[in-house]
Amino acid sequence: MLRKAITAVSIASLVFGSSLSSIAAADNQVPVFDDLKEHWSKSEVEYLVQKGIVDGVLQNGQPAILPDQSITRAEYIKLLVSARQVKLAEPAQSSFKDVTSSHWALKYIEAAKANGWSDGYEDGSFKPDNKVSRAEIAALMVRSYNLRMQEGNTVAFEDTAGHWANHYVNVAASNKIVEGDTVNGKRYFYPEKAATRAEGMAMLTRYLKTTETGAKDPKKETPAPAPSPAPAPGTSGTTSGGSSGSDSSSGSDSSTDDKQNITLGPEEIKNTIGKGQPVEGTDELNNKIALTGLNLSSFTGGIGDISVELEKPNSVFSHVSVPGLTGPVVEFSTNGKTFASGTLTFDVAKVSNKQNLAAAYYNETTKRFEFLPTAYTADQGMLSFTTTHNSKYVLIDKESWEQTFRAHLSTVVDGTYKPYIDFAFVIDSSGSMNNTDPKNLRKTAVTSLVYGLKHDPESPLKTETVTVAKSVYEEGKGYHFEYPTVTNQVYSLSDRAAIIDFDSEVRTYATFSAHSQTVADAVYHIDSNGGTNIFAGVREAVKLFDTYGDNGQRKIALLLTDGQNNFATTQDDLNMLKEAFEKGITIITMGLSQEADLSLLKQIAEYTGGMYFQVQTADDLEAYFKSALENSYHEDKDQDGLDDFYEKTAGMMLENGMIIRTSTDPLTGKDTDGDGFTDLEEMGQPEDMVITADMMPEGSALVGKTVKVFKNFKSLPTDKNDVPKP
């Protein structure tokens, strides 16, 4: 989980005011706090007191702040919730196993979770009474105020490289919320050090003051600084909010106005930019790349000004999907120093789709990806691209990127969402099915669905050609399958179905057909013998859609299994799920019995935008198959004016190629993020857009074609803090 503990934090009710309206009371009288008279945080704390955010406590009859005492996670949450003027509600129950209904901070913690500031730990806990670290506060500030990297204000700390909060600390530093300490000319943040009350209040004050003075420009963004060296032990008590004499050193070991050419190989990169560690990273599917070469021409800075940070895509594009994005997002910065051109080389040998990758940079102004000339050296597994500026860079699978646009070229047919579907039934035929489904009810369920596929009886008939399995007995060889083709007369507008059988191996018993009898006959070839190779079945389905699928129809695979995958899940398997999704293939999974691989089946469904069903007994199979089928057709259950299937599954494509998915809950799905604006009000309706050359990798055949995209997109329907601007 990317957010290790951004769950973070508030200060006890005696210290931080609970009035949400008092933040505007700029003329509140500030009492005299004896423990602040000579304290470095005096002005920062008094600012919050004047705003009515902080009240203080009584100690020996005198008002006090206790600035050097530690602050708990729950306490800081209350501070931030109060400062953000969040409307509080009495929660019906706690979202965290260690926050009881009687905990004083429950409503503040639930408010922070509802606003997407904190998710808790992976074990379902929040640890409200633990001391909050400096890293957690920095992360919470960045997330709650949606802060971005500020141009020209980058700061590199020596002890945050590889830390889960590195990005958040860097962003907070660029917004001048944190400073850290300078020790022997190097900057340290001490991310795991327990924060004091003064430190927590100082971070908040610094940000609030910038919003009043207009000191920051959130429209100007630059990449975060690169990973810094391993943590250096520090006992200094100076804080992110203190007046500790921190300087503005960037940590550069070389700086000059003279232009120079710099060439770094793998070892130099490791020893300089990486500070002893390889500069490498992965995406959420563990596609790994590593920086192995860097060339800068006419560079006005030194090696210490160069940073290359590799971040997981979901930390950069948290509410949207980027089709084909492979590997981490590359944040390249030269600390404001200029250069004529820079070439970055990456080892992509461990990426399965390496030959299809093209580099692109994300233009913060236009909010579009712009593709760059990309060179791939097959024998070395190396990929290079050249740029002239600092930015965020990504590697995109060209085929997946184009496939997503192709899928949206025909999201509508004659003004109507695709009404018909190609179904691939991927059915487990392993030996364990003799026990979990002794009556072969899975065959009965699939057959029932096949005879219930939809069609338009007013549409003209056409001839289809189907490859089907035929059991043949041959003297001396016994039974074996042959695969002849048959032709049928079918309605031209109709659902189609295909049958795939998998155990240790995989077989396609019928390619896509709208002829119910043909498909039903193929169903009964499914047996119960062998092991369980789930991904063999998935891979066969993807291949079948590629070869026989109709792009005028939607693509849905229904996968049923009763056991554990007997074959190790590989990187290629995970990449295949990504490929399937980008080709518009949705996989609905069903686990028959408690022995089914619940985690894997959920993963397959999640990666492809499908659903997972837990089926208790074979007797329930027909009902579950019917439910899955009914949920596959186009509807607008939440009545928000947007087709539910595209909101959640295929995704709503923006004009920059990014995909947004929302809820299809028939009761609450109309306003996914609960911000008071319907999904339709935030997304608008799709419109035609002509694909231009700058939107595609070089040589794309899609240039000039018209695609349906959401050009009237106003705000993210999945982010409560992002609402349509007046």
Side-chain angles (χ1 to χ4, degrees):
M1 188 173 184
L2 179 68
R3 302 179 298 273
K4 170 192 172 189
I6 303 176
T7 59
V9 287
S10 213
I11 282 185
S13 56
L14 288 176
V15 177
F16 295 135
S18 59
S19 171
L20 302 184
S21 61
S22 61
I23 189 170
D27 56 352
N28 285 355
Q29 184 176 357
V30 179
V32 176
F33 298 100
D34 287 340
D35 54 358
L36 278 184
K37 287 181 179 178
E38 303 295 331
H39 201 274
W40 62 264
S41 66
K42 183 176 185 294
S43 63
E44 284 91 344
V45 174
E46 289 181 344
Y47 175 89
L48 296 180
V49 173
Q50 187 180 47
K51 292 291 185 184
I53 301 172
V54 174
D55 296 335
V57 298
L58 286 177
Q59 190 173 58
N60 298 323
Q62 298 297 319
I65 290 293
L66 312 178
D68 296 318
Q69 286 192 12
S70 60
I71 173 174
T72 69
R73 296 162 58 76
E75 288 172 344
Y76 198 78
I77 283 289
K78 185 186 176 190
L79 170 64
L80 197 58
V81 167
S82 298
R84 286 301 313 271
Q85 299 178 272
V86 175
K87 184 177 181 180
L88 294 174
E90 292 298 333
Q93 61 184 16
S94 173
S95 301
F96 304 100
K97 64 182 184 181
D98 59 346
V99 182
T100 65
S101 59
S102 60
H103 195 284
W104 68 267
L106 175 62
K107 60 184 177 182
Y108 300 102
I109 292 172
E110 291 298 321
K113 184 180 187 301
N115 280 278
W117 305 344
S118 59
D119 293 334
Y121 288 86
E122 293 180 1
D123 64 358
S125 66
F126 189 85
K127 302 178 183 178
D129 301 316
N130 280 17
K131 295 177 182 179
V132 64
S133 70
R134 293 159 55 80
E136 288 175 328
I137 290 183
L140 189 62
M141 286 291 300
V142 170
R143 295 191 69 202
S144 61
Y145 283 102
N146 196 27
L147 303 181
R148 296 291 185 266
M149 191 67 64
Q150 297 303 303
E151 183 178 308
N153 294 337
T154 55
V155 178
F157 294 102
E158 298 291 313
D159 55 352
T160 58
H163 194 277
W164 67 268
N166 184 43
H167 171 72
Y168 297 102
V169 173
N170 289 335
V171 172
S174 78
N175 282 269
K176 298 183 178 181
I177 294 173
V178 302
E179 292 178 351
D181 290 334
T182 300
V183 179
N184 296 326
K186 295 183 178 180
R187 193 72 68 86
Y188 295 93
F189 183 72
Y190 314 125
E192 291 302 318
K193 183 174 178 286
T196 65
R197 295 175 183 261
E199 289 174 356
M201 287 186 273
M203 290 190 203
L204 179 59
T205 293
R206 289 189 169 199
Y207 176 73
L208 293 178
K209 284 186 175 180
T210 65
T211 62
E212 291 181 354
T213 62
K216 63 190 290 293
D217 183 358
K219 296 180 181 179
K220 293 183 178 180
E221 301 177 4
T222 62
S228 306
T235 57
S236 169
T238 50
T239 70
S240 57
S243 53
S244 63
S246 300
D247 59 34
S248 58
S249 168
S250 65
S252 301
D253 55 19
S254 171
S255 180
T256 177
D257 291 333
D258 296 331
K259 295 181 179 180
Q260 59 179 315
N261 296 330
I262 290 181
T263 300
L264 301 177
E267 283 304 309
E268 291 91 345
I269 289 172
K270 178 179 177 180
N271 295 328
T272 56
I273 300 175
K275 302 297 189 289
Q277 299 293 326
V279 180
E280 58 189 20
T282 67
D283 58 18
E284 287 74 24
L285 296 180
N286 294 319
N287 288 297
K288 182 178 180 180
I289 69 173
L291 180 69
T292 58
L294 178 64
N295 298 289
L296 292 177
S297 64
S298 300
F299 183 43
T300 60
I303 291 178
D305 293 305
I306 304 170
S307 65
V308 181
E309 182 173 349
L310 279 61
E311 300 183 71
K312 292 205 179 213
N314 64 8
S315 69
V316 180
F317 306 110
S318 58
H319 290 277
V320 294
S321 297
V322 181
L325 197 159
T326 303
V329 176
V330 178
E331 301 253 11
F332 172 50
S333 174
T334 54
N335 199 28
K337 304 300 191 298
T338 62
F339 58 93
S341 68
T343 299
L344 285 75
T345 301
F346 293 90
D347 180 351
V348 296
K350 295 183 179 179
V351 179
S352 61
N353 58 334
K354 46 189 172 287
Q355 69 277 3
N356 293 331
L357 297 178
Y361 94 90
Y362 184 62
N363 189 318
E364 298 280 4
T365 302
T366 65
K367 304 301 181 185
R368 289 195 178 197
F369 291 98
E370 298 182 12
F371 286 89
L372 302 172
T374 307
Y376 171 63
T377 308
D379 59 339
Q380 299 177 9
M382 297 294 176
L383 179 147
S384 299
F385 63 87
T386 301
T387 182
T388 58
H389 53 83
N390 296 163
S391 187
K392 297 181 179 74
Y393 296 89
V394 294
L395 302 182
I396 289 178
D397 186 312
K398 294 179 289 187
E399 291 186 0
S400 296
W401 179 265
E402 290 196 359
Q403 180 61 37
T404 300
F405 274 83
R406 286 194 186 95
H408 285 76
L409 287 173
S410 55
T411 53
V412 292
V413 178
D414 296 330
T416 305
Y417 283 113
K418 295 179 184 178
Y420 297 106
I421 302 172
D422 279 350
F423 289 102
F425 292 97
V426 187
I427 308 300
D428 187 342
S429 63
S430 60
S432 58
M433 281 291 183
N434 285 312
N435 296 321
T436 54
D437 185 21
K439 298 179 182 179
N440 283 319
L441 295 179
R442 63 193 187 282
K443 298 182 185 181
T444 303
V446 173
T447 301
S448 176
L449 292 187
V450 166
Y451 279 106
L453 296 180
K454 295 182 178 181
H455 65 275
D456 181 359
E458 301 299 322
S459 64
L461 292 173
K462 70 174 183 179
T463 301
E464 69 166 19
T465 301
V466 187
T467 300
V468 296
K470 179 180 180 182
S471 181
V472 178
Y473 179 80
E474 190 172 336
E475 191 69 35
K477 295 183 178 179
Y479 282 98
H480 67 279
F481 283 111
E482 294 181 354
Y483 295 89
T485 58
V486 298
T487 57
N488 301 309
Q489 291 295 302
V490 297
Y491 290 108
S492 55
L493 297 179
S494 177
D495 291 339
R496 303 190 305 167
I499 303 299
I500 297 172
D501 165 297
F502 74 92
D503 40 61
S504 299
E505 299 178 346
V506 63
R507 296 154 295 276
T508 294
Y509 286 146
T511 57
F512 290 108
S513 171
H515 192 265
S516 298
Q517 186 63 55
T518 296
V519 181
D521 288 345
V523 170
Y524 282 89
H525 291 311
I526 297 171
D527 60 7
S528 300
N529 185 41
T532 306
N533 191 344
I534 292 176
F535 276 101
V538 175
R539 194 176 300 278
E540 183 72 4
V542 174
K543 178 181 176 182
L544 203 65
F545 281 115
D546 282 346
T547 307
Y548 299 100
D550 184 342
N551 283 333
Q553 311 222 134
R554 288 186 290 114
K555 305 169 185 177
I556 295 179
L558 286 87
L559 183 150
L560 169 70
T561 184
D562 71 338
Q564 302 286 318
N565 195 29
N566 297 150
F567 297 78
T569 301
T570 68
Q571 186 61 55
D572 285 346
D573 293 333
L574 295 177
N575 288 337
M576 181 187 57
L577 296 179
K578 187 176 182 180
E579 174 189 345
F581 176 74
E582 287 157 356
K583 290 181 175 180
I585 301 170
T586 300
I587 303 178
I588 298 172
T589 59
M590 293 186 184
L592 176 58
S593 86
Q594 296 295 330
E595 300 301 318
D597 194 333
L598 171 65
S599 176
L600 179 60
L601 294 177
K602 282 187 174 181
Q603 185 181 43
I604 293 172
E606 178 182 326
Y607 280 0
T608 59
M611 297 172 285
Y612 168 74
F613 293 90
Q614 176 67 55
V615 185
Q616 299 301 322
T617 68
D619 293 331
D620 300 323
L621 277 172
E622 187 165 356
Y624 275 98
F625 267 111
K626 182 179 179 181
S627 176
L629 206 69
E630 289 176 347
N631 279 282
S632 299
Y633 290 101
H634 279 296
E635 293 182 273
D636 183 14
K637 291 181 180 178
D638 52 14
Q639 298 182 350
D640 63 354
L642 297 170
D643 187 278
D644 294 340
F645 183 85
Y646 284 90
E647 282 189 272
K648 183 176 181 181
T649 305
M652 297 176 286
M653 189 168 72
L654 306 182
E655 55 185 321
N656 62 6
M658 290 184 177
I659 301 291
I660 295 176
R661 293 173 189 82
T662 59
S663 168
T664 58
D665 187 322
L667 298 177
T668 63
K670 192 171 185 178
D671 178 10
T672 297
D673 53 16
D675 61 2
F677 295 91
T678 67
D679 295 341
L680 177 62
E681 289 174 321
E682 298 200 65
M683 290 301 304
Q685 287 287 3
E687 293 185 0
D688 289 342
M689 182 187 74
V690 177
I691 299 174
T692 56
D694 64 323
M695 300 168 62
M696 290 287 139
E698 187 175 358
S700 173
L702 296 183
V703 175
K705 295 186 179 297
T706 301
V707 65
K708 285 280 186 184
V709 298
F710 285 79
K711 295 182 67 174
N712 295 322
F713 161 72
K714 297 180 179 64
S715 55
L716 287 166
T718 54
D719 184 355
K720 187 174 184 178
N721 294 320
D722 188 25
V723 298
K725 305 300 184 291

